[in-house]
Amino acid sequence: SFLPDDKERTGEEAVAGHLIDIARKHGLDISRQPVLPGRRNLLVRLKPAGKVRQRILLAPHMDVVPAEDSQFKPRIRNGRLYGRGACDTKGCVATYFHVLCQLARQKQRPQHTEIIFVGLVDEEHMQSGSRAYAIKGPKADLAIVGEPTKLQVVTAHKGDLWWQLKVTGKAAHGATPHLGTSAIHRMSRIVDALLTDYAASLSKRRHPLLGSPTINIGVIRGGTQPNIVPETCTIDIDRRTIPGETEASVRKEIQGATRRHRLKIDFLDLRGVPCDPLETDPGLPLVRQLMKAAGRRKTTGEDFFTDASPIAGAGTPAVLYGPGDIAQAHTAGEWVELAQVDKAVAVLKRFLEGLA
């Protein structure tokens, strides 16, 4: 696992080291891409027999959300692999890397298609791995990003804005509250406006794959002690966006939703990096070929944010595909169905072999 205050950050490196050992046995090209201190993306290449005419990325992430050590002990029961990270996304890591090794063992490699396995770091926190890869490259004709999609081909997901909103009041002694102005009371009006009228307006806006944008207020802070009228109050909001919405347009909407209260609201971006929605054309030839290999007629969308967005934003069309269900991710009893892993391997192998 990876803990933000763990100086060794051994989890991602241990995974990368294990994959490197396997890659060497298969004669694959290996390189590392610095991202953060002590944290590096892993790039493993299968070069084609001839000149490179197209490039495919297989891009799962190697980190997981923190958990107790006991949750990392893998166990197999009733056709499922249990353990933290099994679904999100070691099932994808195993799928993608196994396919790469299978192709490397074959006598005839893809003629003109370079396949790059990219083990990304830091997806669960700030997507630093995919953001670094987006800058440093190389770009590709299609990136298949590893996420648990229940073997669906996903071409769209929501974006994510994290903001802190702050209002101020006037401090006073709790025995004479009429001499002050409660920032908490002011903020309560903002919370009510955002979670009622504004949320209702969002429900009327729909995307064919993603449904409606949403807003959630996850944290509220205000005041210091009971006998002081609170001078400041803040809320942390999570605003999920759909294609067509921008940071500027959403900020303007929120300001409009609270304007009738005539309060000055300060905005603080809690991420500091763009988290735009993903929308990849399902009609792209490579996407259509992947859908055919997966036996799917239509693509789907997801609510959660992924590494696909930074990669697509840099010019590489990206989709999500992998075994597992996001409902199992980050849970104490996380699991992935091994039959889905096997099926995902067969689908990706069929897709990559068909590119010749």
Side-chain angles (χ1 to χ4, degrees):
S1 69
F2 148 61
L3 298 174
D5 57 353
D6 180 359
K7 293 182 180 180
E8 294 184 357
R9 297 184 173 95
T10 56
E12 293 164 339
E13 280 301 301
V15 172
H18 177 67
L19 296 177
I20 287 170
D21 289 342
I22 298 172
R24 284 175 177 155
K25 294 176 182 178
H26 288 80
L28 294 164
D29 292 347
I30 304 161
S31 61
R32 304 301 301 274
Q33 192 174 69
V35 177
L36 297 168
R39 306 179 73 183
R40 300 174 291 171
N41 290 334
L42 169 65
L43 279 65
V44 181
R45 286 178 170 85
L46 176 65
K47 293 184 177 180
K51 184 178 179 181
V52 176
R53 292 180 181 169
Q54 67 179 353
R55 182 177 289 120
I56 303 294
L57 303 184
L58 304 177
H61 62 86
M62 300 187 295
D63 62 322
V64 301
V65 294
E68 297 295 328
D69 288 346
S70 60
Q71 292 186 28
F72 288 94
K73 185 177 181 180
R75 60 195 186 280
I76 295 175
R77 187 170 68 245
N78 298 326
R80 297 173 176 175
L81 173 65
Y82 288 83
R84 177 52 59 100
C87 172
D88 187 14
T89 60
K90 296 306 185 292
C92 293
V93 172
T95 295
Y96 291 9
F97 206 76
H98 187 58
V99 169
L100 193 69
C101 291
Q102 282 188 334
L103 295 175
R105 285 198 300 266
Q106 294 178 176
K107 291 183 179 180
Q108 189 170 4
R109 291 191 173 193
Q111 188 67 25
H112 297 291
T113 302
E114 181 180 48
I115 304 167
I116 306 179
F117 173 94
V118 186
L120 297 165
V121 301
D122 192 49
E123 190 273 348
E124 298 289 1
H125 182 48
M126 292 294 288
Q127 302 84 41
S128 300
S130 57
R131 296 181 194 280
Y133 186 87
I135 295 171
K136 300 174 183 178
K139 289 183 174 59
D141 298 274
L142 181 68
I144 306 175
V145 175
E147 289 289 347
T149 68
K150 297 186 288 187
L151 303 181
Q152 300 283 338
V153 179
V154 174
T155 54
H157 69 58
K158 291 181 179 178
D160 196 7
L161 297 172
W162 280 14
W163 281 332
Q164 184 174 94
L165 275 56
K166 178 181 178 181
V167 298
T168 58
K170 179 182 177 183
H173 196 288
T176 54
H178 59 283
L179 298 179
T181 303
S182 171
I184 290 177
H185 189 200
R186 283 183 165 179
M187 184 61 82
S188 69
R189 298 169 185 166
I190 301 301
V191 170
D192 183 64
L194 293 179
L195 296 185
T196 55
D197 295 344
Y198 181 58
S201 71
L202 295 181
S203 67
K204 299 175 183 178
R205 192 180 308 166
R206 297 193 63 82
H207 182 275
L209 296 182
L210 301 175
S212 300
T214 59
I215 185 169
N216 177 64
I217 298 175
V219 179
I220 185 167
R221 306 178 188 87
T224 55
Q225 60 189 54
N227 63 340
I228 300 177
V229 176
E231 186 175 24
T232 63
C233 186
T234 64
I235 57 173
D236 294 354
I237 69 172
D238 179 331
R239 174 64 160 79
R240 302 287 163 146
T241 60
I242 60 176
E245 295 184 314
T246 65
E247 180 177 348
S249 69
V250 172
R251 183 188 291 246
K252 186 176 180 180
E253 286 178 0
I254 291 176
Q255 289 171 333
T258 60
R259 186 172 293 123
R260 67 186 179 90
H261 298 292
R262 297 178 181 177
L263 296 175
K264 181 179 182 297
I265 302 176
D266 294 323
F267 283 74
L268 174 65
D269 186 348
L270 295 177
R271 287 192 183 274
V273 290
C275 294
D276 299 322
L278 172 75
E279 187 168 41
T280 297
D281 181 3
L284 293 175
L286 286 172
V287 177
R288 291 204 308 269
Q289 285 180 257
L290 177 59
M291 290 168 60
K292 182 179 179 181
R296 303 292 181 183
R297 293 184 177 182
K298 296 181 179 180
T299 62
T300 62
E302 291 287 0
D303 293 325
F304 52 85
F305 186 79
T306 77
D307 282 324
S309 177
I311 291 173
T316 295
V319 300
L320 312 179
Y321 180 78
D325 185 340
I326 195 64
Q328 304 304 324
H330 305 182
T331 63
E334 185 173 345
W335 54 268
V336 65
E337 187 176 327
L338 294 177
Q340 280 199 12
V341 175
D342 291 338
K343 187 171 182 179
V345 167
V347 165
L348 283 180
K349 189 168 185 286
R350 184 160 57 242
F351 165 69
L352 293 171
E353 287 179 333
L355 296 180

